[in-house]
Amino acid sequence: MKKILISACLFLATIAYSQDDLLNSLDTNQTTENYSTATFKALQLVTLQTTKMPAKKEFYFVVSHRFGSVEDGLDSFFGLDNATTKLGGIYGITDWLSVNLSRHTLNKMYETGVKYRIARQGNDFPLDIVGYSVADINTFLEKKQYPGLEFKHRIAYVQQLLISRKVNEKLSLELVPSFIHKNLYNPDIERDNQFSFGGGGRYKITKRLSVNLEYMHNFDKPKFYTNPLSVGLDVETGGHVFQLIFTNSQAMSESGYLTNASGEWGKGNFFFGFNLYRVF
């Protein structure tokens, strides 16, 4: 695992240093106060967080949907009959710190998190580095199903390190090591502590359109789950960023999509959805 992490970070660093002079000569407007801008247009790549941060006192209202599997065809109107919804808000306390709160219909989940910038890509440093700490609270669990259930058993924690590089005006890449801890788990089929590693990228097609791809490999997941693989399309329209999504994970909470992806692309078992961000 250490070899994988070291190799991946060296890969991004190599890209970073080898292209600094070329980027500076091609685009003198790339940086503001010596920092790279617009590495990502949205706060999420597809489901993964990006290194983009809200500005101070900026508020984002988020609406997300993941529909049912398209493999059922017209029986479920290609999954539209089985929609799950996420409603949430994100507020920038400072330019380097934001907080978020959301409610998910899947498992009646509440999710709260803190996002904080550690380093910025600029003339003196080749990468954006952001930390993301989140707690998911599952209110769907009932005591009659789980004798001795306490509030702490409803909580799962996720800690992520988001490491990105704006390679050029069209391409941005991101690596995401993730640690997941579940207070309630079945030791016969899964672990309470799980490690996931992966990432993705954004490729800009036009001024307001980009295609995104992400993949996360969970090294400790149960065998009957899959690793989340998602593709998305960013559409920017003024104060809105609209993301069309195809993914093999219906869950939108951090602990859900990292550990419980159930779809299989090869069998046509995947989910359509979207993210909509409105900034105030």
Side-chain angles (χ1 to χ4, degrees):
M1 176 50 55
K2 290 182 179 179
K3 292 181 179 179
I4 294 175
L5 288 174
I6 292 172
S7 299
C9 291
L10 287 176
F11 170 70
L12 274 179
T14 300
I15 292 176
Y17 285 113
S18 66
Q19 299 201 27
D20 278 344
D21 293 339
L22 177 61
L23 290 178
N24 290 334
S25 64
L26 288 178
D27 189 0
T28 56
N29 295 320
Q30 181 194 354
T31 61
T32 301
E33 297 180 353
N34 297 323
Y35 294 125
S36 293
T37 59
T39 302
F40 298 100
K41 281 294 185 180
L43 298 175
Q44 288 178 273
L45 189 58
V46 181
T47 303
L48 282 173
Q49 294 289 312
T50 68
T51 52
K52 178 180 173 67
M53 298 286 299
K56 183 178 180 180
K57 295 184 179 180
E58 200 170 54
F59 178 77
Y60 283 81
F61 179 65
V62 185
V63 180
S64 298
H65 282 290
R66 298 294 185 272
F67 303 103
S69 176
V70 302
E71 70 172 348
D72 294 330
L74 288 175
D75 287 342
S76 65
F77 204 65
F78 298 97
L80 296 184
D81 291 343
N82 304 313
T84 62
T85 304
K86 167 186 172 182
L87 295 176
I90 303 165
Y91 182 72
I93 298 176
T94 70
D95 288 334
W96 60 268
L97 176 66
S98 68
V99 294
N100 64 274
L101 177 65
S102 59
R103 171 53 157 81
H104 305 242
T105 57
L106 186 64
N107 292 328
K108 298 182 179 180
M109 186 84 70
Y110 287 90
E111 185 174 61
T112 183
V114 178
K115 196 173 183 180
Y116 45 95
R117 180 183 289 120
I118 299 171
R120 294 189 68 176
Q121 179 183 340
N123 293 344
D124 299 325
F125 194 74
L127 303 170
D128 281 316
I129 303 177
V130 170
Y132 187 57
S133 303
V134 63
D136 297 333
I137 305 172
N138 187 334
T139 64
F140 183 73
L141 301 173
E142 297 182 0
K143 289 187 176 182
K144 63 182 180 181
Q145 295 176 312
Y146 299 93
L149 180 71
E150 299 179 23
F151 177 77
K152 65 180 181 181
H153 298 134
R154 300 180 182 275
I155 304 176
Y157 303 94
V158 178
Q159 178 62 56
Q160 295 182 317
L161 194 62
L162 315 171
I163 307 167
S164 73
R165 169 71 182 175
K166 184 175 183 179
V167 180
N168 54 45
E169 283 304 305
K170 290 185 177 293
L171 179 64
S172 299
L173 299 175
E174 182 175 79
L175 295 175
V176 185
S178 302
F179 174 77
I180 307 103
H181 174 79
K182 293 184 176 183
N183 284 342
L184 182 65
Y185 68 102
N186 185 342
D188 294 330
I189 60 174
E190 65 177 342
R191 299 180 181 180
D192 56 343
N193 296 322
Q194 300 182 32
F195 182 77
S196 182
F197 182 78
R202 167 183 179 262
Y203 187 81
K204 190 175 179 180
I205 301 173
T206 68
K207 184 178 180 180
R208 297 185 180 276
L209 190 67
S210 66
V211 62
N212 305 335
L213 179 70
E214 67 180 35
Y215 172 78
M216 294 294 288
H217 185 88
N218 188 326
F219 295 89
D220 304 298
K221 67 175 179 62
K223 293 182 179 179
F224 48 82
Y225 285 126
T226 57
N227 290 309
L229 172 63
S230 308
V231 61
L233 193 69
D234 281 5
V235 183
E236 185 184 2
T237 57
H240 296 76
V241 177
F242 186 68
Q243 297 179 302
L244 295 171
I245 290 165
F246 292 93
T247 177
N248 64 343
S249 177
Q250 190 179 31
M252 289 176 280
S253 66
E254 300 299 323
S255 62
Y257 80 86
L258 288 173
T259 65
N260 298 333
S262 59
E264 295 185 44
W265 281 92
K267 296 181 179 180
N269 182 12
F270 56 90
F271 309 91
F272 170 67
F274 66 82
N275 299 329
L276 176 62
Y277 283 86
R278 181 68 170 97
V279 62
F280 296 92

